[in-house]
Amino acid sequence: GCRRDSTLELPLSLVMADVGEVLMSVLSTIRVPKPGDRVHKDECALSFSSPESEGGLYVCMNSFLGFGSQYVDRHHARTGQRAYFHITRTRKTKVTQGSSFETGLYLPPLLFLVCPGIEGGFDVEQEQYEEDVKVVILPDRQEVTSEDLGTIDSFSVFYLTKPTRASRNERAKYLFLHLSLGNLCNLSFLHRSGWRCDVCDLQENIWMNLTDGKVLCGRRYFDGSGGNNHALLHFQETGYPLAVKLGTITPDGADVYSYDEDDMVLDSKLPEHLAHFGINMMTMEKTERTMTELEIAVNQRVGEWEVIQESGTTLRPMFGPGLTGMKNLGNSCYLNSVMQVLFTVPDFQSKYVSNIDKIIDEAPSDPTQDFKTQVAKLGYGLLSGEYSKPPSLLTNQSVRACLQGDQIGIAPQMFKALVGRGHPEFSTNRQQDAQEFLLHFINMVERNCRSGSNPSEAFRFLVEERIVCQQSQKAKYTQRVDYIVQLPVPMDQATNTEELQEAERRREEGDSSAPTVRAQIPFTACMAALSEPEILTDFWSSAVQTKTTATKTTRFASFPDHLVIQIKKFTFGLDWVPKKLDVSIDVPDTLDLSALLATGQQPGEELLPEVAPLSFLLSPVLDDSTVSQLCEMGFPLEACRKAVYYTGNTGIDAAMNWIMSHMDDPDFAAPLVLPGCSSGAGTTPTESLSEEHLATIVSMGFSRDQATKALRATSNVLDRAVDWIFSHLDDLESMDVSEGGRSAAESEGGRDPPPGPRVRDGPGKYELFAFISHMGTSTMCGHYVCHIKKDQQWVIFNDQKVCASEKPPKDLGYLYFYRRVAE
């Protein structure tokens, strides 16, 4: 063997011979990474262990998957793989003076404290790393040291071509080893000032790509300011990772960002690289704030931000099971907040965390791409307490973050990449709507739990819509599945109208000292707006065979175990420009919705005949001018055609209302499918459907007829068809469920899936246990935090900050989570 303790006294030649024998014994199992291979050197595939965790990280030298010390033996036993790259990192701290460029140390981009070099600042502890690298051969854990590896070219290639996050300071150096400056294209020798984005002409927050010299604007910050993301888009298109913020260049250094690492880095050869593009670093002067300065400025702003984050109070950090923070991966606070709340729900805990050993045992060969494994990994990371320890209990970890009130926490990189894969919004690093992500994740749970226990049933409920023709007094009843109650905000019901009007009058007169007054809306007024009948004009009544007026009343056909209420703060102004309502709503701690229970068809009540206006169905003539007006507003053509069709050519207002009500439909932009038509305009003939797509949907437990209907409704696009079928379960209830292709059912107990949407029901009395708040002007910018009630104590989860809440701002929430009160 070649254990270090058994070779200390042996001759060097004998040691090298043993090393050669060991490596030869596993050589056939070792691969060198190729372009496109992903080497997981920072995070365990089954846990949140990292090279800084106790025991370090083991990277399989064949699959390049990383495993913590608790899982590497399991992977070896399952696969027979013996050679693992073992990485351990130890963080050490030392107090430094001056900037990061003077010390040569890494400076994180997002600091929630005052920093050196800024007025009123102070020196902070900065981090350095000591790293130990070796190859370990299982099962005897024979070790080949980094000194030995230096003599073996393939191992050196393995290590040096994939720098770890701990070596961010060297990231630029490694990248430029692979770049030939003489072969770079689009070279431009830049002026010392007056830079503009090559795409949008923006003059602030300008970055130059250090690979091709492209000058572009930076990211849009979470408060809505900043750039238009053109530098980020350039990286996504070209893969060129490094950029320098031009306005920060001084003789001492500059802000250099790696989009690949999604972090600030230090370019040790920055003067040389800038000189290549005609920039003399020694003559430059700082004209813009650094990323650190911007972060501090943003976090010193007052108003909604301070109240929701409880910035005015001294918050006590909390640690332990269920109190684990989550790192912000770049505008990922919406994901962090939603997942913190979901894993407070017992259904998600029992589905993924209680069964984590079984899930890991059954994980596929690449667990990083398995939904169930990654959700279980995240849930266990949040609930176990292993990654939420007070500074006094930390060993090989950084205590600096904890001293600032932050935790080490977990970084859900694999989870975020998996749930966002292929999605036009959630696959990006842009800020997103927490409500949309919640529905997206529930949709993924539905897909992956078609058979067996389904935790999303905790939120699923039935909505009954009763439409009464005012001319015939006959009614129509329909039911649909929903997961969220969208509560309207009646601004005209504000209780402080006089204050609002006075503040508005002073602003119109140019009074800069006019206070910002927030509208006070009673929660009862919101509930009344939800439950009151809606007047439908131009309703086509099958009873009288003409258009008339009708009323639509919405009620609960079932009450879920857990109720989610969305306050509809995001709306459109008179000019159709999106805006956010600045409101305070006295949301109650307890809620009784019993009065909103649907009653169904009443005794003696007649139903509307199931007859459609046949002439219109068979030969619809759409108002081209209305369709054109809608398209000019930026809506998809097919959505505009459907809006005009389903509103019976009754004008632009009715069509626009239809669009506003159906924008979230999965098939919103799908071609118009005419009821009763088997093919033709707006449909996809059955014979043209992909057999592969049909087989895929059937394998999920649906019948062929159901799969055919979904594909025809979405132009034979598989992803859209799957979204459509899960959002139309109530429409498919009368259709047979396939008996074939239930591999998922067999793996989770083999029971047949229900023929229709299965809902739980019970009393409509609830208590508030969590809420998610949004700060900012729109869903595309800002910041999310969540408050969760744990053992009668409100706790604020602000990414890595987990603290006891002193003043939970329940009146400013966006999403509210209630659980049923047992009677």
Side-chain angles (χ1 to χ4, degrees), residues 351 449-455 457 460 700-701 737-739 742-756 758 760:
K351 172 72 176 183
C449 300
R450 177 60 182 164
S451 302
S453 62
N454 185 342
E457 290 178 7
R460 188 190 298 162
M700 300 170 68
V737 177
S738 172
E739 291 296 324
R742 288 201 310 272
S743 58
E746 295 167 0
S747 66
E748 293 198 23
R751 70 172 181 83
D752 292 342
R758 190 172 73 175
R760 305 172 188 175

PDB file of all heavy atoms in Angstrom, residues 351 449-455 457 460 700-701 737-739 742-756 758 760:
ATOM      1  N   LYS A 351     -42.658  13.073   2.560  1.00  0.00           N
ATOM      2  CA  LYS A 351     -42.395  12.546   1.221  1.00  0.00           C
ATOM      3  C   LYS A 351     -40.903  12.482   0.925  1.00  0.00           C
ATOM      4  O   LYS A 351     -40.421  11.482   0.358  1.00  0.00           O
ATOM      5  CB  LYS A 351     -43.095  13.433   0.179  1.00  0.00           C
ATOM      6  CG  LYS A 351     -42.750  13.114  -1.273  1.00  0.00           C
ATOM      7  CD  LYS A 351     -43.357  11.818  -1.733  1.00  0.00           C
ATOM      8  CE  LYS A 351     -43.081  11.575  -3.207  1.00  0.00           C
ATOM      9  NZ  LYS A 351     -43.724  10.345  -3.702  1.00  0.00           N
ATOM     10  N   CYS A 449     -44.906  12.796  -9.229  1.00  0.00           N
ATOM     11  CA  CYS A 449     -45.653  12.026  -8.233  1.00  0.00           C
ATOM     12  C   CYS A 449     -47.009  11.628  -8.798  1.00  0.00           C
ATOM     13  O   CYS A 449     -48.021  11.671  -8.088  1.00  0.00           O
ATOM     14  CB  CYS A 449     -45.838  12.835  -6.941  1.00  0.00           C
ATOM     15  SG  CYS A 449     -44.318  13.333  -6.125  1.00  0.00           S
ATOM     16  N   ARG A 450     -47.019  11.291 -10.082  1.00  0.00           N
ATOM     17  CA  ARG A 450     -48.286  10.910 -10.701  1.00  0.00           C
ATOM     18  C   ARG A 450     -48.899   9.727  -9.970  1.00  0.00           C
ATOM     19  O   ARG A 450     -50.114   9.608  -9.856  1.00  0.00           O
ATOM     20  CB  ARG A 450     -48.045  10.577 -12.175  1.00  0.00           C
ATOM     21  CG  ARG A 450     -49.275  10.100 -12.930  1.00  0.00           C
ATOM     22  CD  ARG A 450     -50.372  11.143 -12.932  1.00  0.00           C
ATOM     23  NE  ARG A 450     -51.554  10.665 -13.608  1.00  0.00           N
ATOM     24  CZ  ARG A 450     -52.749  11.217 -13.511  1.00  0.00           C
ATOM     25  NH1 ARG A 450     -52.919  12.266 -12.731  1.00  0.00           N
ATOM     26  NH2 ARG A 450     -53.782  10.735 -14.175  1.00  0.00           N
ATOM     27  N   SER A 451     -48.061   8.855  -9.454  1.00  0.00           N
ATOM     28  CA  SER A 451     -48.520   7.721  -8.658  1.00  0.00           C
ATOM     29  C   SER A 451     -47.818   7.781  -7.312  1.00  0.00           C
ATOM     30  O   SER A 451     -46.728   8.331  -7.183  1.00  0.00           O
ATOM     31  CB  SER A 451     -48.211   6.399  -9.363  1.00  0.00           C
ATOM     32  OG  SER A 451     -48.817   6.372 -10.638  1.00  0.00           O
ATOM     33  N   GLY A 452     -48.428   7.202  -6.313  1.00  0.00           N
ATOM     34  CA  GLY A 452     -47.853   7.269  -4.980  1.00  0.00           C
ATOM     35  C   GLY A 452     -48.245   8.554  -4.279  1.00  0.00           C
ATOM     36  O   GLY A 452     -49.060   9.342  -4.761  1.00  0.00           O
ATOM     37  N   SER A 453     -47.688   8.781  -3.118  1.00  0.00           N
ATOM     38  CA  SER A 453     -48.037   9.962  -2.332  1.00  0.00           C
ATOM     39  C   SER A 453     -47.610  11.222  -3.067  1.00  0.00           C
ATOM     40  O   SER A 453     -46.552  11.278  -3.679  1.00  0.00           O
ATOM     41  CB  SER A 453     -47.361   9.901  -0.958  1.00  0.00           C
ATOM     42  OG  SER A 453     -45.950   9.893  -1.079  1.00  0.00           O
ATOM     43  N   ASN A 454     -48.458  12.236  -2.993  1.00  0.00           N
ATOM     44  CA  ASN A 454     -48.233  13.485  -3.703  1.00  0.00           C
ATOM     45  C   ASN A 454     -48.381  14.638  -2.719  1.00  0.00           C
ATOM     46  O   ASN A 454     -49.493  14.998  -2.333  1.00  0.00           O
ATOM     47  CB  ASN A 454     -49.241  13.623  -4.852  1.00  0.00           C
ATOM     48  CG  ASN A 454     -48.982  14.844  -5.719  1.00  0.00           C
ATOM     49  OD1 ASN A 454     -48.282  15.762  -5.324  1.00  0.00           O
ATOM     50  ND2 ASN A 454     -49.571  14.847  -6.898  1.00  0.00           N
ATOM     51  N   PRO A 455     -47.279  15.247  -2.299  1.00  0.00           N
ATOM     52  CA  PRO A 455     -47.371  16.305  -1.280  1.00  0.00           C
ATOM     53  C   PRO A 455     -48.098  17.547  -1.755  1.00  0.00           C
ATOM     54  O   PRO A 455     -48.575  18.333  -0.932  1.00  0.00           O
ATOM     55  CB  PRO A 455     -45.906  16.607  -0.961  1.00  0.00           C
ATOM     56  CG  PRO A 455     -45.136  16.168  -2.153  1.00  0.00           C
ATOM     57  CD  PRO A 455     -45.878  14.987  -2.693  1.00  0.00           C
ATOM     58  N   GLU A 457     -50.901  17.667  -2.925  1.00  0.00           N
ATOM     59  CA  GLU A 457     -52.308  17.554  -2.555  1.00  0.00           C
ATOM     60  C   GLU A 457     -52.639  18.385  -1.320  1.00  0.00           C
ATOM     61  O   GLU A 457     -53.804  18.725  -1.093  1.00  0.00           O
ATOM     62  CB  GLU A 457     -52.672  16.090  -2.297  1.00  0.00           C
ATOM     63  CG  GLU A 457     -52.695  15.229  -3.546  1.00  0.00           C
ATOM     64  CD  GLU A 457     -53.021  13.783  -3.230  1.00  0.00           C
ATOM     65  OE1 GLU A 457     -53.356  13.494  -2.049  1.00  0.00           O
ATOM     66  OE2 GLU A 457     -52.945  12.942  -4.141  1.00  0.00           O
ATOM     67  N   ARG A 460     -54.035  21.458  -2.929  1.00  0.00           N
ATOM     68  CA  ARG A 460     -54.988  21.339  -4.027  1.00  0.00           C
ATOM     69  C   ARG A 460     -56.425  21.462  -3.519  1.00  0.00           C
ATOM     70  O   ARG A 460     -56.796  20.843  -2.514  1.00  0.00           O
ATOM     71  CB  ARG A 460     -54.782  20.003  -4.727  1.00  0.00           C
ATOM     72  CG  ARG A 460     -55.588  19.845  -6.013  1.00  0.00           C
ATOM     73  CD  ARG A 460     -55.513  18.416  -6.514  1.00  0.00           C
ATOM     74  NE  ARG A 460     -54.152  18.013  -6.853  1.00  0.00           N
ATOM     75  CZ  ARG A 460     -53.766  16.752  -6.981  1.00  0.00           C
ATOM     76  NH1 ARG A 460     -54.630  15.766  -6.762  1.00  0.00           N
ATOM     77  NH2 ARG A 460     -52.531  16.475  -7.302  1.00  0.00           N
ATOM     78  N   MET A 700     -46.579   8.179 -18.179  1.00  0.00           N
ATOM     79  CA  MET A 700     -46.824   8.905 -16.933  1.00  0.00           C
ATOM     80  C   MET A 700     -48.146   8.513 -16.297  1.00  0.00           C
ATOM     81  O   MET A 700     -48.523   9.048 -15.247  1.00  0.00           O
ATOM     82  CB  MET A 700     -46.803  10.418 -17.199  1.00  0.00           C
ATOM     83  CG  MET A 700     -45.478  10.923 -17.754  1.00  0.00           C
ATOM     84  SD  MET A 700     -45.550  12.631 -18.316  1.00  0.00           S
ATOM     85  CE  MET A 700     -45.775  13.475 -16.756  1.00  0.00           C
ATOM     86  N   GLY A 701     -48.860   7.574 -16.918  1.00  0.00           N
ATOM     87  CA  GLY A 701     -50.098   7.079 -16.329  1.00  0.00           C
ATOM     88  C   GLY A 701     -51.360   7.581 -16.990  1.00  0.00           C
ATOM     89  O   GLY A 701     -52.454   7.278 -16.520  1.00  0.00           O
ATOM     90  N   VAL A 737     -58.217   6.236 -17.669  1.00  0.00           N
ATOM     91  CA  VAL A 737     -56.796   6.305 -17.341  1.00  0.00           C
ATOM     92  C   VAL A 737     -56.115   5.037 -17.832  1.00  0.00           C
ATOM     93  O   VAL A 737     -56.636   3.939 -17.664  1.00  0.00           O
ATOM     94  CB  VAL A 737     -56.605   6.465 -15.824  1.00  0.00           C
ATOM     95  CG1 VAL A 737     -55.135   6.459 -15.470  1.00  0.00           C
ATOM     96  CG2 VAL A 737     -57.256   7.764 -15.357  1.00  0.00           C
ATOM     97  N   SER A 738     -54.977   5.215 -18.450  1.00  0.00           N
ATOM     98  CA  SER A 738     -54.259   4.085 -19.031  1.00  0.00           C
ATOM     99  C   SER A 738     -53.832   3.089 -17.972  1.00  0.00           C
ATOM    100  O   SER A 738     -53.479   3.453 -16.858  1.00  0.00           O
ATOM    101  CB  SER A 738     -53.034   4.593 -19.787  1.00  0.00           C
ATOM    102  OG  SER A 738     -52.233   3.519 -20.199  1.00  0.00           O
ATOM    103  N   GLU A 739     -53.859   1.827 -18.318  1.00  0.00           N
ATOM    104  CA  GLU A 739     -53.348   0.787 -17.423  1.00  0.00           C
ATOM    105  C   GLU A 739     -51.902   0.468 -17.717  1.00  0.00           C
ATOM    106  O   GLU A 739     -51.275  -0.295 -17.010  1.00  0.00           O
ATOM    107  CB  GLU A 739     -54.188  -0.490 -17.580  1.00  0.00           C
ATOM    108  CG  GLU A 739     -55.604  -0.369 -17.046  1.00  0.00           C
ATOM    109  CD  GLU A 739     -55.622  -0.129 -15.553  1.00  0.00           C
ATOM    110  OE1 GLU A 739     -54.760  -0.681 -14.844  1.00  0.00           O
ATOM    111  OE2 GLU A 739     -56.496   0.611 -15.091  1.00  0.00           O
ATOM    112  N   ARG A 742     -46.819   2.196 -16.236  1.00  0.00           N
ATOM    113  CA  ARG A 742     -46.794   2.800 -14.919  1.00  0.00           C
ATOM    114  C   ARG A 742     -45.533   2.394 -14.173  1.00  0.00           C
ATOM    115  O   ARG A 742     -45.575   1.857 -13.081  1.00  0.00           O
ATOM    116  CB  ARG A 742     -48.025   2.388 -14.115  1.00  0.00           C
ATOM    117  CG  ARG A 742     -49.315   3.036 -14.583  1.00  0.00           C
ATOM    118  CD  ARG A 742     -50.358   2.994 -13.483  1.00  0.00           C
ATOM    119  NE  ARG A 742     -50.499   1.657 -12.927  1.00  0.00           N
ATOM    120  CZ  ARG A 742     -51.311   0.731 -13.414  1.00  0.00           C
ATOM    121  NH1 ARG A 742     -52.015   0.995 -14.486  1.00  0.00           N
ATOM    122  NH2 ARG A 742     -51.398  -0.445 -12.855  1.00  0.00           N
ATOM    123  N   SER A 743     -44.388   2.650 -14.760  1.00  0.00           N
ATOM    124  CA  SER A 743     -43.141   2.335 -14.071  1.00  0.00           C
ATOM    125  C   SER A 743     -43.008   3.153 -12.814  1.00  0.00           C
ATOM    126  O   SER A 743     -42.488   2.698 -11.798  1.00  0.00           O
ATOM    127  CB  SER A 743     -41.948   2.605 -14.988  1.00  0.00           C
ATOM    128  OG  SER A 743     -41.943   3.961 -15.408  1.00  0.00           O
ATOM    129  N   ALA A 744     -43.491   4.407 -12.856  1.00  0.00           N
ATOM    130  CA  ALA A 744     -43.425   5.234 -11.649  1.00  0.00           C
ATOM    131  C   ALA A 744     -44.313   4.666 -10.562  1.00  0.00           C
ATOM    132  O   ALA A 744     -43.974   4.675  -9.385  1.00  0.00           O
ATOM    133  CB  ALA A 744     -43.841   6.670 -11.983  1.00  0.00           C
ATOM    134  N   ALA A 745     -45.475   4.123 -10.963  1.00  0.00           N
ATOM    135  CA  ALA A 745     -46.371   3.556  -9.966  1.00  0.00           C
ATOM    136  C   ALA A 745     -45.747   2.334  -9.305  1.00  0.00           C
ATOM    137  O   ALA A 745     -45.861   2.133  -8.108  1.00  0.00           O
ATOM    138  CB  ALA A 745     -47.710   3.177 -10.620  1.00  0.00           C
ATOM    139  N   GLU A 746     -45.090   1.513 -10.115  1.00  0.00           N
ATOM    140  CA  GLU A 746     -44.473   0.318  -9.555  1.00  0.00           C
ATOM    141  C   GLU A 746     -43.374   0.666  -8.569  1.00  0.00           C
ATOM    142  O   GLU A 746     -43.193  -0.008  -7.561  1.00  0.00           O
ATOM    143  CB  GLU A 746     -43.920  -0.529 -10.693  1.00  0.00           C
ATOM    144  CG  GLU A 746     -45.005  -1.071 -11.609  1.00  0.00           C
ATOM    145  CD  GLU A 746     -44.439  -1.649 -12.893  1.00  0.00           C
ATOM    146  OE1 GLU A 746     -43.199  -1.612 -13.053  1.00  0.00           O
ATOM    147  OE2 GLU A 746     -45.236  -2.124 -13.705  1.00  0.00           O
ATOM    148  N   SER A 747     -42.659   1.772  -8.834  1.00  0.00           N
ATOM    149  CA  SER A 747     -41.569   2.152  -7.942  1.00  0.00           C
ATOM    150  C   SER A 747     -42.068   2.781  -6.659  1.00  0.00           C
ATOM    151  O   SER A 747     -41.328   2.912  -5.716  1.00  0.00           O
ATOM    152  CB  SER A 747     -40.627   3.143  -8.648  1.00  0.00           C
ATOM    153  OG  SER A 747     -41.304   4.357  -8.892  1.00  0.00           O
ATOM    154  N   GLU A 748     -43.359   3.198  -6.606  1.00  0.00           N
ATOM    155  CA  GLU A 748     -43.875   3.836  -5.406  1.00  0.00           C
ATOM    156  C   GLU A 748     -45.124   3.126  -4.906  1.00  0.00           C
ATOM    157  O   GLU A 748     -46.103   3.734  -4.501  1.00  0.00           O
ATOM    158  CB  GLU A 748     -44.187   5.314  -5.677  1.00  0.00           C
ATOM    159  CG  GLU A 748     -42.965   6.138  -5.960  1.00  0.00           C
ATOM    160  CD  GLU A 748     -43.255   7.611  -5.790  1.00  0.00           C
ATOM    161  OE1 GLU A 748     -44.201   7.952  -5.061  1.00  0.00           O
ATOM    162  OE2 GLU A 748     -42.533   8.408  -6.368  1.00  0.00           O
ATOM    163  N   GLY A 749     -45.121   1.825  -4.979  1.00  0.00           N
ATOM    164  CA  GLY A 749     -46.207   1.081  -4.383  1.00  0.00           C
ATOM    165  C   GLY A 749     -47.153   0.465  -5.388  1.00  0.00           C
ATOM    166  O   GLY A 749     -47.933  -0.409  -5.047  1.00  0.00           O
ATOM    167  N   GLY A 750     -47.123   0.904  -6.621  1.00  0.00           N
ATOM    168  CA  GLY A 750     -47.876   0.268  -7.688  1.00  0.00           C
ATOM    169  C   GLY A 750     -49.356   0.520  -7.694  1.00  0.00           C
ATOM    170  O   GLY A 750     -50.079  -0.125  -8.427  1.00  0.00           O
ATOM    171  N   ARG A 751     -49.872   1.486  -6.909  1.00  0.00           N
ATOM    172  CA  ARG A 751     -51.308   1.701  -6.947  1.00  0.00           C
ATOM    173  C   ARG A 751     -51.687   2.546  -8.155  1.00  0.00           C
ATOM    174  O   ARG A 751     -50.905   3.365  -8.618  1.00  0.00           O
ATOM    175  CB  ARG A 751     -51.796   2.359  -5.659  1.00  0.00           C
ATOM    176  CG  ARG A 751     -51.377   3.811  -5.486  1.00  0.00           C
ATOM    177  CD  ARG A 751     -52.086   4.397  -4.273  1.00  0.00           C
ATOM    178  NE  ARG A 751     -51.739   5.778  -4.073  1.00  0.00           N
ATOM    179  CZ  ARG A 751     -52.298   6.787  -4.706  1.00  0.00           C
ATOM    180  NH1 ARG A 751     -53.206   6.544  -5.632  1.00  0.00           N
ATOM    181  NH2 ARG A 751     -51.936   8.031  -4.454  1.00  0.00           N
ATOM    182  N   ASP A 752     -52.910   2.341  -8.647  1.00  0.00           N
ATOM    183  CA  ASP A 752     -53.359   3.081  -9.807  1.00  0.00           C
ATOM    184  C   ASP A 752     -53.557   4.540  -9.462  1.00  0.00           C
ATOM    185  O   ASP A 752     -54.033   4.883  -8.383  1.00  0.00           O
ATOM    186  CB  ASP A 752     -54.683   2.488 -10.317  1.00  0.00           C
ATOM    187  CG  ASP A 752     -54.498   1.104 -10.901  1.00  0.00           C
ATOM    188  OD1 ASP A 752     -53.343   0.741 -11.217  1.00  0.00           O
ATOM    189  OD2 ASP A 752     -55.497   0.393 -11.028  1.00  0.00           O
ATOM    190  N   PRO A 753     -53.227   5.428 -10.402  1.00  0.00           N
ATOM    191  CA  PRO A 753     -53.500   6.838 -10.156  1.00  0.00           C
ATOM    192  C   PRO A 753     -54.996   7.104 -10.189  1.00  0.00           C
ATOM    193  O   PRO A 753     -55.751   6.380 -10.834  1.00  0.00           O
ATOM    194  CB  PRO A 753     -52.788   7.544 -11.324  1.00  0.00           C
ATOM    195  CG  PRO A 753     -52.727   6.522 -12.394  1.00  0.00           C
ATOM    196  CD  PRO A 753     -52.580   5.208 -11.702  1.00  0.00           C
ATOM    197  N   PRO A 754     -55.464   8.107  -9.476  1.00  0.00           N
ATOM    198  CA  PRO A 754     -56.897   8.401  -9.464  1.00  0.00           C
ATOM    199  C   PRO A 754     -57.359   8.857 -10.837  1.00  0.00           C
ATOM    200  O   PRO A 754     -56.609   9.456 -11.597  1.00  0.00           O
ATOM    201  CB  PRO A 754     -57.013   9.533  -8.434  1.00  0.00           C
ATOM    202  CG  PRO A 754     -55.657  10.170  -8.422  1.00  0.00           C
ATOM    203  CD  PRO A 754     -54.691   9.057  -8.678  1.00  0.00           C
ATOM    204  N   PRO A 755     -58.629   8.579 -11.191  1.00  0.00           N
ATOM    205  CA  PRO A 755     -59.116   8.957 -12.511  1.00  0.00           C
ATOM    206  C   PRO A 755     -59.230  10.461 -12.687  1.00  0.00           C
ATOM    207  O   PRO A 755     -59.246  10.954 -13.791  1.00  0.00           O
ATOM    208  CB  PRO A 755     -60.491   8.287 -12.583  1.00  0.00           C
ATOM    209  CG  PRO A 755     -60.907   8.117 -11.156  1.00  0.00           C
ATOM    210  CD  PRO A 755     -59.649   7.873 -10.398  1.00  0.00           C
ATOM    211  N   GLY A 756     -59.341  11.220 -11.636  1.00  0.00           N
ATOM    212  CA  GLY A 756     -59.451  12.671 -11.711  1.00  0.00           C
ATOM    213  C   GLY A 756     -58.641  13.301 -10.609  1.00  0.00           C
ATOM    214  O   GLY A 756     -57.916  12.628  -9.874  1.00  0.00           O
ATOM    215  N   ARG A 758     -57.507  14.373  -7.240  1.00  0.00           N
ATOM    216  CA  ARG A 758     -57.862  13.973  -5.886  1.00  0.00           C
ATOM    217  C   ARG A 758     -57.645  15.155  -4.948  1.00  0.00           C
ATOM    218  O   ARG A 758     -56.566  15.754  -4.934  1.00  0.00           O
ATOM    219  CB  ARG A 758     -57.007  12.792  -5.429  1.00  0.00           C
ATOM    220  CG  ARG A 758     -57.509  12.193  -4.109  1.00  0.00           C
ATOM    221  CD  ARG A 758     -56.777  10.919  -3.773  1.00  0.00           C
ATOM    222  NE  ARG A 758     -55.417  11.172  -3.334  1.00  0.00           N
ATOM    223  CZ  ARG A 758     -54.599  10.234  -2.886  1.00  0.00           C
ATOM    224  NH1 ARG A 758     -55.005   8.973  -2.884  1.00  0.00           N
ATOM    225  NH2 ARG A 758     -53.382  10.518  -2.483  1.00  0.00           N
ATOM    226  N   ARG A 760     -58.353  16.846  -0.934  1.00  0.00           N
ATOM    227  CA  ARG A 760     -58.729  16.629   0.467  1.00  0.00           C
ATOM    228  C   ARG A 760     -59.773  17.677   0.846  1.00  0.00           C
ATOM    229  O   ARG A 760     -59.851  18.734   0.234  1.00  0.00           O
ATOM    230  CB  ARG A 760     -57.509  16.749   1.363  1.00  0.00           C
ATOM    231  CG  ARG A 760     -56.371  15.829   0.950  1.00  0.00           C
ATOM    232  CD  ARG A 760     -55.114  16.128   1.740  1.00  0.00           C
ATOM    233  NE  ARG A 760     -53.974  15.385   1.215  1.00  0.00           N
ATOM    234  CZ  ARG A 760     -52.723  15.526   1.665  1.00  0.00           C
ATOM    235  NH1 ARG A 760     -52.468  16.403   2.635  1.00  0.00           N
ATOM    236  NH2 ARG A 760     -51.748  14.816   1.145  1.00  0.00           N
TER     237      ARG A 760
END
